[in-house]
Amino acid sequence: MSTARTSIPVLDLSAAKEADGSFVPGFLDALRDAAHHVGFFQVTGYGARHGQEQELLDTVAEFFRLPLEDRLALDNRRSPQFRGYTRLGTEITRGRADAREQIDFGPELEPLADVPADRPYLRLQGPNQWPAAFPALEKAAMEWAELMSHVGAELLSAIAVSIGLRADHFDEPFAGTPAWMGKLVHYVGTGVVPEAGEQGVGLHADYGFVTLLLQDAVGGLEVKPYGQETWIEVPPIPEALVVNLGEMLEVATDGYLMATIHRVTAPPAGVDRYSVPFFWSPRLDAVIDKVELPPALAADARGVSDDPENPMLASYGANVLKGWLRAHPETARIHYPELVGPTHGGAAY
């Protein structure tokens, strides 16, 4: 077993390419090391305009200071796409309430008119819910999503090259209508949601390919790399993104790249924390095949994580719907009653 990691690497995306557009070998080596051994890293130099990060965080904070009735006008229980406002303490991770409220959003598309019964995840395509009286939120969030889509695609190309694949290897699953997801999250101080205890969000892995997180200065994110018992704190770095890999890359590489478990500790009493995670994810109908790794890397593949209560699925749409059904039991019971179990909204799908 390799030496336990105690910190999160930091990479400069602005120095990732040579003048001819190819990736710098040293960058690829550092990226591969971080992706294989930690599953988390931070990136700087990713192309945000000056001040964009703080503007977004300030806009998110301003939204969550609106009266509760304004936020409830966007209640996600009305959305088969699980979009809109999630009330404080109602998202569930590992069977326990999280100490956060949030807005979930994605590509603005019309719902599909005809969804086959055996592909219910296609119902996740649809519209967002935004506050009409506060248009700054939609503007800032969708501008950020456009930037993150470019960053996610660039990083995924670099990851592909770093493990011996063509830069465009993962392009096809994203062609057309990639089902990226974004969240605007407000964590509340310990004690505001008594049943959450110190859980901001419980330990979990992400569903898609690459997650890009903008966090404020409060901190609280912790990660647990494969084979380690100790958690690593992810310190906030101004204007940096925290990057982690999702379950689709673990499936594709037979565990050479891992969807690393992570969690967020709720802030101290009286402190608010804001973050904006973005999940660069493929089309809902994408099915991810295993890749052929170079022999030296294949020898270090650890296999896909075996969790009988939360199996990883090669179908992206099925994998993400499974997660949403567990995380949002009330919305699941309203819109997907045939897919949830009799208690706690447990996913039967």
Side-chain angles (χ1 to χ4, degrees), residues 23 153-171 291-292 294:
F23 287 105
E154 183 79 352
L155 277 172
L156 191 53
S157 292
I159 289 168
V161 175
S162 79
I163 58 173
L165 306 175
R166 289 170 52 96
D168 62 358
H169 180 88
F170 293 112
D171 285 4
V291 304
E292 184 174 347

Side-chain angles (χ1 to χ4, degrees), residues 173-233:
F174 289 83
T177 54
W180 56 263
M181 299 184 298
K183 291 176 179 284
L184 312 174
V185 186
H186 172 214
Y187 291 91
V188 295
T190 302
V192 175
V193 181
E195 60 271 29
E198 295 184 351
Q199 175 171 300
V201 59
L203 60 92
H204 66 285
D206 293 341
Y207 314 131
F209 272 80
V210 176
T211 301
L212 308 167
L213 170 71
L214 176 66
Q215 60 172 342
D216 67 9
V218 173
L221 174 62
E222 300 175 329
V223 309
K224 192 176 184 181
Y226 177 83
Q228 291 191 198
E229 292 302 318
T230 53
W231 291 85
I232 304 174
E233 293 185 6

Side-chain angles (χ1 to χ4, degrees), residues 283-317:
R283 297 188 315 273
L284 291 169
D285 65 356
V287 176
I288 308 306
D289 296 324
K290 287 186 179 179
V291 304
E292 184 174 347
L293 293 172
L297 302 188
D300 284 338
R302 295 159 290 206
V304 174
S305 302
D306 183 19
D307 183 349
E309 295 186 2
N310 187 30
M312 292 188 194
L313 306 175
S315 162
Y316 172 68

Side-chain angles (χ1 to χ4, degrees), residues 91-100 187-188 190 193 195-203 263-266:
E91 183 166 10
I92 306 298
T93 306
R94 294 279 175 166
R96 187 176 183 181
D98 296 326
R100 62 177 181 170
Y187 291 91
V188 295
T190 302
V193 181
E195 60 271 29
E198 295 184 351
Q199 175 171 300
V201 59
L203 60 92
R263 67 186 181 188
V264 174
T265 301

Side-chain angles (χ1 to χ4, degrees), residues 80-81 110-126 177 283-286 317-318 320-321 336 349:
Q81 293 78 36
E110 289 296 322
L112 295 175
D114 185 21
V115 174
D118 62 344
R119 296 201 290 171
Y121 50 81
L122 293 178
R123 293 180 62 197
L124 295 175
Q125 175 173 310
T177 54
R283 297 188 315 273
L284 291 169
D285 65 356
V320 72
L321 179 57
Y336 299 88
Y349 174 58

